[in-house]
């Protein structure tokens, strides 16, 4: 009797304990599931998130293979304008549309949303190359200018360019009319390298020219990188060519194939090589209503009017009343082309940067010794050979 009563009492107790254990176990599993965070939305950064030493022209993008992006921005960490970019039509990829700046940290922002509705913010940074030195390029012809038919395109760097091929690949000349031309590297000057582009023949009047130098981030060698992109749009004007035959004692101006001036002139004296006007194609580079001219060697310090520079060795076309008696009969100057005051003023008013001045009849040729624009004194085959490409 006692044994039966004990059995009846123990049985429900055991069952209750099992039920309690079962209930506790079920409750713990549910709490664990509720605390687990959702899996992050897969995001692909290119370059990888938190990348460093990124070249400014490297492809930069962010994408969500199975989802969409919203509000994407890549912004300089210290503040500044966000990088321009475009979102693909399906919303899965954002791509930067321009180069990044050198030595700059950028931060990603925006939202990635998966197909099942999960979301998470974009994050991470991107750091571009910090170069040892940044090299700037400048163009000689500014936007909107009109220039003569012999005008060269000049790119001047403010530092030495070791990798000329890399630099030249970043340069481009587009023309509205088919124009054969070539780049040529000339000796460094003004603290840096320089490269010129000229056509094989004079420019065709009316040609529209666009020059682009996409130098930002270009590795120029020896730790130097291009600082920024530069460009210019300009037009080739009318054709005006000076025919300067020193033995004729006259200067003829041909505009668009027709003579518009034929005036008495005096050129450099042949007896002194230092005073001989150089033969060859000169290029008008600048002009002055009044120009001080000084020579210690020949002991003069004068101001001449209506002076048009045609080379950097001191050769000008200018007025000189003191040589009026020789103009049209003999050559007595120190290398310049002397005209009367009225003739010099007329020519001055018509001249523009890039006009050619073709000097003939002297035994000394224009050469690199005569200044920075001696481009047309170089034979075409030699000029092309001076290209790095």
């Amino acid at each position: 009797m006692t044994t039966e009563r004990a059995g009846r009492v123990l049985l429900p107790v055991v069952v209750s304990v099992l039920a309690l254990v079962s209930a506790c176990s079920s409750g713990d599993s549910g709490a664990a599931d509720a605390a687990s965070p959702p899996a992050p939305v897969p995001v692909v950064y290119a370059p990888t998130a938190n990348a460093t030493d990124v070249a400014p022209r490297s492809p930069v993008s962010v994408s969500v293979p199975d989802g969409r992006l919203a509000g994407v921005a890549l912004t300089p960490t210290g503040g500044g304008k966000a990088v321009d970019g475009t979102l693909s039509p399906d919303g899965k990829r954002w791509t930067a549309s321009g180069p990044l700046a050198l030595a700059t940290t950028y931060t990603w922002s925006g939202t990635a949303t998966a197909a099942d509705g999960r979301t998470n913010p974009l994050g991470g940074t991107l750091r571009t190359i910090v170069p040892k030195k940044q090299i700037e390029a400048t163009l000689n012809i500014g936007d909107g200018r009109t220039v003569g038919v012999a005008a060269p395109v000049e790119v001047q760097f403010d530092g030495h360019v070791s990798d000329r091929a890399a630099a030249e690949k970043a340069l481009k000349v587009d023309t509205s009319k088919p124009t054969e031309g070539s780049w040529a590297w000339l000796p460094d000057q003004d603290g840096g390298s320089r490269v010129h582009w000229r056509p094989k023949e004079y420019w065709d009047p009316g040609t529209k020219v666009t020059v682009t130098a996409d130098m930002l981030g270009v590795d120029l060698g020896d730790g130097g990188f291009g600082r920024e992109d530069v460009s210019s749009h300009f037009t080739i004007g009318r054709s005006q060519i000076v025919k300067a035959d020193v033995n004729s004692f006259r200067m003829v101006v041909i505009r668009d194939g027709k003579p518009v001036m034929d005036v008495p002139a005096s050129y450099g004296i042949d007896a002194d090589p230092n005073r001989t006007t150089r033969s060859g194609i000169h290029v008008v580079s600048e002009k002055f209503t009044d120009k001080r001219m000084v020579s210690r060697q020949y002991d003069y310090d004068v101001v001449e009017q209506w002076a048009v520079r045609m080379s950097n060795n001191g050769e000008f076309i200018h007025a000189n009343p003191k040589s009026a008696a020789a103009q049209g009969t003999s050559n007595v100057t120190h290398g310049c082309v002397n005209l009367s005051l009225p003739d010099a003023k007329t020519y001055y008013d018509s001249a523009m940067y890039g006009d050619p001045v073709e000097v003939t009849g002297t035994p000394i040729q224009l050469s690199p010794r005569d200044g920075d624009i001696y481009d047309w004194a170089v034979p075409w085959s030699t000029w092309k050979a001076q290209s790095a490409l």
Side-chain angles (χ1 to χ4, degrees), residues 128-147:
T128 55
I129 293 170
V130 180
K132 292 180 180 178
K133 56 184 175 181
Q134 297 185 35
I135 298 176
E136 186 172 3
T138 56
L139 299 175
N140 65 318
I141 304 175
D143 258 339
R145 288 189 63 184
T146 299
V147 298

Side-chain angles (χ1 to χ4, degrees), residues 114-126:
D116 60 7
R118 289 174 294 132
T119 65
N120 54 254
L122 303 181
T125 61
L126 180 157

